[in-house]
Amino acid sequence: MQVITDLKENRSHTLSTADASEWWYFDGNDDSNEYSFAIVFLTENPFPTCPISKEKPNLENEKTTGICILSFNLYYEGRLIYKIFNELPRNKFSSEELNENERLFFDKSSFFFDRKENQYRLSINILPSAIQDKFKAEFIFSVKSDIKEIKINHRTNKFCHYWLPAAGVCEMSGKFKFYKDFKRRKTEFEGYGYHDHHWSSDSLFENIREWYKGKVITKDYSIVYFFVSYHDNLIPPVKKILLFNKGKLIQEIEEFEVKLNNPNNYWLLKNNSGLSIDCGNIRLCVKNENKVENSLFCTRALSLYDLFIDGTNVIKGARGFSEYLNRERNGKSFFKPFKKAMPKQTD
């Protein structure tokens, strides 16, 4: 994997290989610690056996082609209250130039980066035939961190995977309206958010063994961690911790170990309940309070974070998102009965 620090690359890329994928990720939490959301815009699904959609698990399919995807999850006090997973024909994805900025469209939803204002502007517009499923939202991510402070990573591998942590710390404002029980509900809020961008010409699903990613963004301190290991032992793991204070990058770490907390689940399989990272003067503890996606191979959680710097607890119980993916189980025959036995998740 190569870490990219040039914002000119935060655009759509022409990827012609069959296994290519690209996605833009945004998440946020409001000041009152009530609303949280995660948004993913994808061209193809890079991890098809780790489904984003609970409605379409499709665990047996190795690859789904010719689609683009909009995924949006909204939470209130840690509870899922609205979920969108739109699989669209690839022709519903398009782009246009907008005042020297590229605006990307996924059907009627879109987003773009306003370079002049240093803001990402998102519009989510879902208009199905049933009125109770209609949803509209707008978000503004005002970037407070400077990607140029991150060291350029010139790592080269046998396959190409690029990560652009475009906006590690953002002030965020949002408003949405949707229908519940045929009544329109409208909410506005402010808080903090995060944005990054991945693209790859090769199959991430086939090459990655384990994937850890998470972040917590607050008014003062914020931290982002990313750790990926590969099936090919000749490819070294990629590790990155970014520690910010009021948007200023104060530490960048590339060597650390991740310790998982692994209580057994119903089938005596280990899906972690959290993790900890100790490195130098930093100790990060992540508790997966709500596992919003919890399949055999993948855990996505709305987590509680504690961060200690030189023994001082600078972040205490703040909410953020985390991901853990273990691709290795898919090829082991022992787990095949569990793949078929996995229950459908419910709200």
Side-chain angles (χ1 to χ4, degrees), residues 25 27-31 33 141-142 144-145 167-172 191-195 214-225 242-244 246-247 303 305 315 318-321:
Y25 175 89
D27 70 33
N29 293 276
D30 76 346
D31 282 333
N33 210 30
F141 284 68
S142 299
K144 299 303 175 184
S145 55
V169 179
C170 297
E171 291 181 353
M172 178 274 303
Y192 297 91
Y194 169 88
H195 163 55
K215 88 291 298 178
V216 60
I217 312 301
T218 71
K219 179 180 179 181
D220 295 316
Y221 286 93
S222 304
I223 190 167
V224 177
Y225 68 87
L242 303 174
L243 177 61
F244 302 89
K246 298 184 184 298
S303 305
Y305 282 77
I315 296 178
R319 184 172 289 163
F321 286 91

Side-chain angles (χ1 to χ4, degrees), residues 212 225 227 237 239 241 253-260 275-280 282-284:
Y212 312 84
Y225 68 87
F227 178 22
K239 305 178 182 182
I241 290 177
I253 301 170
E254 294 186 329
E255 287 299 330
F256 58 90
E257 298 299 325
V258 176
K259 181 180 179 181
L260 295 178
L275 59 81
S276 60
I277 296 173
D278 289 279
C279 183
I282 293 176
R283 177 172 174 78
L284 177 67

